[in-house]
Amino acid sequence: MSNRKTKASFSQKRPILTVVIIEVLLLLAVFAAGAYATIKELSYTSPVLISFIPIALVMIAYFTWKKKWNALGFRKLSSIPANGWVYYSPLLLILIVISFKGMRDISASEVLFFIFFTLLVGFVEESIYRGLILKTLLPKGIKTAVITSSILFAVTHVLNVLSGQDAFQTILQIVYALLIGAVLALLMVKNKNIIPLILFHFLHNFIQFVGNDNSDAFIGYDLFLLLVLAVHCVWLSLSLRRPVISASANQAS
C-alpha cells in the first residue's frame, strides 16, 4: 500500500481565489466579445457566441484531460434516486408558465440556431456555476457554496439586463436570476447530477428566445415565478437535512 499523499490542487488550496479567477475570466471574455460585436455591429447573440464557443471547447478539453466529467455531475440520469426526481417538478411548472406567451413567427433555420445557441449557454453556464464554482466552494460549506455561486450567476446576468429597461423589470430579472441560481445549485447538491440542470437551462432559454416579446403583460406571471422559486429554495434547503436513499441502495435492498 502506498503511503504517498495526494497533492492538493490549486483549487483545493485556494478555493476563493480560484472562483474569483473563473468569474473574472468569464466576464472579461464576455466584455471583450461584446465590445467587438458592438464595433462590428453584429447581432445581439454574437457576444455570447464569440465568447462561449471557445470557452465550451476549452472546458470540454479540460474535463476530458483531467477526467472531471463525473466529478462535476455529468452522470447517467439513472444515478438520480427515485425519490429525488420530485424536486425537479417546480422547474417543469416554470417551463409551462413561461410557455404561455406563445411562440413568435420565426423560420426553421432560426429555430435550429436558437437550439444550438441555448444548448451552448446551458452547457457553459451550468458547467461553470453549478459545476466548477459550486464544487470548488463546497468544502467551505453548502450554504457558502450555494449563496456565492448564485450571486455570481446573478451578477453575470446583470450584464444582460442593463439595456435601458425600467428599474422594476431590471430588479425582477436580477432577483429571478439569483433564485434560479440558488435552486439549481441546491438541486446539484441534492442529486449531484448536472444533466437535468443543463436541460432545464436550455429549455428555459429556448422558450424565452422563441416566445412573444410581451413582457409587460407577464409581470403577474413573473411575480408568480419568483414565489415558486422562493418556495422551491426553502423546500430544497429543508430536504437537504434529510438523507436521500441512492438508486444503488434501492437496488441492493
Side-chain angles (χ1 to χ4, degrees):
M1 181 182 296
S2 174
N3 292 323
R4 290 182 302 175
K5 294 182 179 180
T6 303
K7 186 177 180 181
S9 64
F10 178 81
S11 63
Q12 292 172 325
K13 292 186 290 187
R14 299 286 188 274
I16 303 300
L17 180 58
T18 299
V19 168
V20 170
I21 291 172
I22 292 172
E23 181 70 7
V24 169
L25 288 177
L26 175 63
L27 292 178
L28 286 176
V30 173
F31 272 126
Y36 177 80
T38 300
I39 293 171
K40 295 295 183 179
E41 298 182 346
L42 303 178
S43 68
Y44 70 98
T45 58
S46 296
V48 173
L49 290 173
I50 294 171
S51 57
F52 275 29
I53 289 177
I55 290 173
L57 294 175
V58 169
M59 286 198 300
I60 290 171
Y62 174 72
F63 296 166
T64 302
W65 176 43
K66 292 291 187 178
K67 299 179 180 179
K68 293 278 187 180
W69 292 103
N70 186 70
L72 293 174
F74 289 88
R75 303 171 180 175
K76 294 180 180 179
L77 293 178
S78 58
S79 69
I80 299 174
N83 59 346
W85 283 102
V86 67
Y87 296 103
Y88 297 102
S89 54
L91 298 185
L92 180 59
L93 175 61
I94 290 172
L95 294 177
I96 292 172
V97 171
I98 66 174
S99 66
F100 285 165
K101 64 177 64 176
M103 185 174 174
R104 57 191 173 88
D105 186 21
I106 60 176
S107 65
S109 60
E110 287 179 295
V111 171
L112 291 175
F113 169 76
F114 282 124
I115 289 175
F116 167 75
F117 181 83
T118 51
L119 270 175
L120 173 68
V121 172
F123 170 75
V124 170
E125 293 190 349
E126 291 308 312
S127 296
I128 290 175
Y129 291 102
R130 262 65 69 178
L132 292 170
I133 288 178
L134 186 69
K135 179 176 172 59
T136 299
L137 291 174
L138 275 177
K140 295 287 185 181
I142 291 176
K143 184 182 294 186
T144 298
V146 169
I147 292 175
T148 304
S149 64
S150 303
I151 291 174
L152 293 177
F153 180 68
V155 166
T156 303
H157 284 74
V158 170
L159 303 177
N160 299 329
V161 299
L162 299 180
S163 55
Q165 66 182 10
D166 63 87
F168 181 70
Q169 277 289 344
T170 299
I171 292 171
L172 272 183
Q173 291 183 38
I174 293 173
V175 174
Y176 186 74
L178 182 64
L179 289 175
I180 282 278
V183 164
L184 297 182
L186 287 167
L187 281 168
M188 185 64 183
V189 174
K190 180 76 177 176
N191 290 329
K192 298 176 177 59
N193 196 311
I194 204 171
I195 301 300
L197 310 185
I198 293 175
L199 291 176
F200 167 76
H201 202 141
F202 153 61
L203 290 171
H204 180 278
N205 286 4
F206 179 75
I207 292 170
Q208 296 279 37
F209 272 105
V210 303
N212 289 315
D213 187 16
N214 53 353
S215 56
D216 292 338
F218 277 80
I219 290 179
Y221 288 107
D222 292 338
L223 294 175
F224 172 72
L225 292 178
L226 292 181
L227 177 61
V228 170
L229 289 168
V231 172
H232 197 185
C233 280
V234 174
W235 183 27
L236 285 165
S237 298
L238 293 175
S239 75
L240 288 173
R241 299 179 182 180
R242 301 191 301 270
V244 177
I245 301 173
S246 67
S248 58
N250 283 333
Q251 293 170 359
S253 62

